[in-house]
Amino acid sequence: MDKPCLNEPSLDQPCLSVRSVAKQQPHKKVSRDTLHKDLNVKDNLNTPDDNPPPVDIDFSHVHPHLDPNPAPRKSHHITIEEVKDEDRTPFSYTGHYFEPQADTSWALHKGETKFEKYRRYQEEEGRVGFGQVAGNKPWSETCTDEFLKLPITQNHMKLSFHNNCSFLQRFDALPCGPDWSCRNVTVRGNKEDDFRVPLEEEVKLWSRDPVECVQELIGNPFFKADMAYSPAKGYANRAGQHRVIDEMWMADWWGKTQKALPKGVTIVPIILSFHPNLLHQLHKGVFKDHLMKWCIDIVGEEEMDARFKAVPNYLGLRHFKKGILTVKQWTGREHKEMQRVFIGLLTGAVPSHVLVVTCSILDFSCYARLQTHMTETLKALQTTLNVFHANKDILKELAIHKHFHIPKLHQLTHYVQSIMLLGTADGFNTELPERLHINFAKEAYRATNK
C-alpha cells in the first residue's frame, strides 16, 4: 500500500475553510476602505450592549473548550468571591458567558492526526510499534547496539532494525513538523573597510513555510482545547452587561470581518508584526529608556543606584543588592521587578508631580498587560494615560525633557482601541516567544553538528 503523506494537514480540527449546512447567501467583498474604517473605529466605552446574549446556546462545534454556562475557574493564587455591582446585578469574576456569531465555521467530522495516521499505516503493514525504555541509565548509541545484540532481543523480538544506524533511520521516518530550509544571505553593514566600501557578511537564514506551520498548529491535538474557529462576544454575566475581551476571537475585528465573508468560512489570523509590544514598547521603551532616564536626571545616577540597593528584602520583591549600574542587559522580568519598587525609592527624591507622572505610567503598564479586559479596566487604562498627559509638563519645567514627540509614547494612545479590536496585548507580546527561542532554537542549534 502507499505510504500516507505526512505533510498533509490533520483533520482532527476543522479545516481552514469549512462550510456550514446553512444555505449559501451572496456576500460582499472587504474593501481597503472598509478595513481601514474598521481599524480606526472608536467605540464608546460607556455605551452598553443593546442585545444581551442568549443563555442556553450550544456552540461547542466552534469553541470546543468553552462552556456557555461555565463552572467557576480554579485559581492557583487567590480566590475572588462573586459580588454584586452598584446596580445589584450579579457579577461573576470566575466564569464567562458567550454569544457566538451565527453562520460561521462548522466541524464536519473528526479526522486523524499525523501520528494516528502513521500508527494505522504501521498496523496495516504488520509492524511493531516502539515501546518505552525503562530505567534511569542514559541511553546512548552503544546501549542501542548492546541491547540489539542480546540473545533475548534477537530470539524473541521481531524488530525492523538491527543496529543503531537502522534504528535512527526508523526514528527519522516518524512524522514531524514542517521542514526547515536554509539559504545564504549577504548582509551589508554600516561600517566601511580601508577603501570606504561597506563591509559585508554572509549569514544563514533558516525558515519554514508559514502555511505548513498553521496546518501543523491546527492539526496538533495538544492545542485542541485552546482553538477557536469563529468569533464570539464574551460577558461576565448572563445579562450581557459587562463585556469581556480576552483573545482575538472575543474582540471586534474578527466579528466584523467574519460578516463580510461567506457562511461557514473560518478566519486564520497570522500576526506578522504588531506595534503594542509590551516588552519592547512598555517595559524597555517607555519605562527604561524614558521614564527611568528622566528620574535619573532628577535624582542623579549614584543616588538612584544607592536607593535601589537600600530597598530591603521582602517576599515577592527583588533585592537589588548590587544596584542597577553594573547590569548591561535587562530582560522583561527585571524591568517588571524594577517597576514594583520604583515608586517607593523615588519618594522624597522627586517633586510630587513627578511621582504622579511615574505612577500613571506604571499603572498604565499594569493595566496594559492584563490577560482579560472588561469595560471598567479599559476605562482605567485610558484614565492613567490622561493623568500622564495632564502632568507631564513638570518635566519641561524641570528642564528634563524639551518635548514629548516620542513614537513609543504616542503608541500608548492606541492601546484601548487595539485591545477592543484585536484582543488583549499579552497575545502580541514577544517576551515569552523570545525566551522560548533560546530553549527551542538557540540551544537546540548548538547541540547539532551545524
Side-chain angles (χ1 to χ4, degrees):
M1 64 176 293
D2 296 333
K3 184 177 179 180
C5 178
L6 300 181
N7 292 325
E8 295 178 353
S10 168
L11 295 178
D12 185 57
Q13 306 291 342
C15 303
L16 292 179
S17 295
V18 291
R19 300 287 179 178
S20 67
V21 295
K23 183 179 179 181
Q24 285 287 344
Q25 299 292 337
H27 62 280
K28 60 181 180 179
K29 296 182 179 179
V30 182
S31 65
R32 180 178 299 179
D33 294 337
T34 302
L35 181 60
H36 179 75
K37 181 179 180 181
D38 288 342
L39 292 177
N40 288 276
V41 65
K42 291 186 179 296
D43 296 302
N44 187 358
L45 298 179
N46 297 317
T47 303
D49 294 286
D50 296 329
N51 300 319
V55 177
D56 299 320
I57 295 181
D58 180 14
F59 55 100
S60 58
H61 58 285
V62 290
H63 298 290
H65 61 297
L66 295 177
D67 184 359
N69 299 300
R73 296 178 293 179
K74 295 182 179 180
S75 173
H76 297 286
H77 302 287
I78 58 176
T79 301
I80 304 178
E81 298 180 354
E82 183 174 305
V83 298
K84 294 181 181 293
D85 57 10
E86 294 180 357
D87 59 359
R88 309 304 295 171
T89 302
F91 189 85
S92 173
Y93 282 91
T94 55
H96 296 159
Y97 301 87
F98 297 90
E99 177 189 9
Q101 186 164 318
D103 300 328
T104 53
S105 60
W106 199 277
L108 299 179
H109 58 84
K110 182 179 179 180
E112 293 179 310
T113 65
K114 289 182 179 180
F115 281 95
E116 291 172 339
K117 187 182 297 185
Y118 192 78
R119 178 66 176 179
R120 176 173 54 82
Y121 166 74
Q122 284 184 321
E123 293 175 349
E124 293 174 352
E125 288 290 306
R127 298 182 180 180
V128 179
F130 297 103
Q132 182 178 2
V133 179
N136 297 324
K137 182 180 179 180
W139 199 263
S140 62
E141 177 180 349
T142 303
C143 295
T144 304
D145 290 329
E146 292 177 353
F147 174 78
L148 295 175
K149 292 179 181 179
L150 293 174
I152 190 173
T153 304
Q154 297 178 351
N155 298 332
H156 298 279
M157 300 181 67
K158 298 180 180 180
L159 300 177
S160 59
F161 51 90
H162 306 286
N163 53 42
N164 186 72
C165 181
S166 58
F167 164 72
L168 293 178
Q169 290 176 351
R170 292 292 184 185
F171 187 82
D172 292 336
L174 291 174
C176 59
D179 294 332
W180 286 93
S181 61
C182 180
R183 61 188 179 95
N184 294 329
V185 178
T186 301
V187 180
R188 176 173 293 184
N190 56 0
K191 294 184 178 181
E192 299 178 346
D193 58 14
D194 297 336
F195 301 98
R196 303 183 63 84
V197 177
L199 297 176
E200 295 182 350
E201 181 183 2
E202 192 174 77
V203 297
K204 294 183 181 296
L205 177 64
W206 291 85
S207 62
R208 293 197 287 187
D209 190 324
V211 176
E212 293 181 0
C213 293
V214 171
Q215 293 174 342
E216 173 73 15
L217 292 173
I218 291 181
N220 193 331
F222 183 79
F223 303 120
K224 180 178 180 180
D226 299 309
M227 285 286 184
Y229 299 95
S230 68
K233 286 188 176 181
Y235 301 87
N237 57 27
R238 293 173 179 267
Q241 296 176 333
H242 303 277
R243 179 78 182 275
V244 176
I245 297 179
D246 191 338
E247 298 180 4
M248 183 180 287
W249 59 269
M250 297 171 61
D252 294 336
W253 175 84
W254 193 331
K256 293 178 180 179
T257 306
Q258 190 79 53
K259 294 178 181 178
L261 299 176
K263 294 181 180 180
V265 172
T266 296
I267 296 177
V268 183
I270 300 177
I271 303 171
L272 299 180
S273 63
F274 203 76
H275 56 272
N277 187 323
L278 296 177
L279 175 61
H280 296 94
Q281 189 176 88
L282 278 181
H283 300 314
K284 183 181 182 301
V286 176
F287 172 70
K288 184 176 181 295
D289 294 343
H290 295 294
L291 177 62
M292 191 169 179
K293 182 179 181 299
W294 297 336
C295 294
I296 289 178
D297 290 341
I298 298 175
V299 178
E301 194 174 65
E302 296 296 332
E303 177 65 18
M304 180 69 75
D305 195 56
R307 285 176 173 260
F308 267 104
K309 295 178 182 178
V311 175
N313 281 321
Y314 190 79
L315 182 63
L317 298 179
R318 175 172 174 173
H319 178 53
F320 297 87
K321 59 181 180 180
K322 295 183 179 180
I324 60 172
L325 296 181
T326 58
V327 180
K328 296 182 179 180
Q329 184 175 2
W330 292 94
T331 64
R333 178 179 178 180
E334 279 87 13
H335 290 149
K336 287 180 284 189
E337 290 173 341
M338 293 168 66
Q339 294 173 24
R340 293 191 183 103
V341 300
F342 202 57
I343 292 295
L345 61 86
L346 285 182
T347 303
V350 297
S352 59
H353 283 288
V354 176
L355 275 181
V356 173
V357 169
T358 303
C359 286
S360 63
I361 291 181
L362 297 183
D363 288 343
F364 186 95
S365 176
C366 291
Y367 280 114
R369 62 176 184 258
L370 288 178
Q371 298 181 358
T372 301
H373 270 286
M374 292 183 290
T375 305
E376 290 75 12
T377 60
L378 290 175
K379 289 179 181 178
L381 179 63
Q382 185 62 46
T383 299
T384 60
L385 186 60
N386 296 340
V387 172
F388 167 75
H389 287 297
N391 294 272
K392 64 183 180 182
D393 287 341
I394 183 63
L395 299 175
K396 290 183 178 179
E397 297 173 6
L398 296 174
I400 299 300
H401 207 70
K402 296 181 180 180
H403 64 84
F404 295 96
H405 303 299
I406 303 173
K408 291 182 179 179
L409 278 178
H410 171 75
Q411 291 295 340
L412 303 186
T413 62
H414 298 286
Y415 264 66
V416 173
Q417 179 187 1
S418 298
I419 291 173
M420 296 190 69
L421 286 176
L422 302 172
T424 53
D426 70 298
F428 314 100
N429 190 19
T430 60
E431 182 176 356
L432 181 60
E434 284 192 3
R435 185 66 187 91
L436 295 178
H437 180 73
I438 299 176
N439 297 338
F440 295 108
K442 291 184 178 180
E443 294 181 356
Y445 181 77
R446 297 189 186 104
T448 65
N449 57 8
K450 301 178 177 61

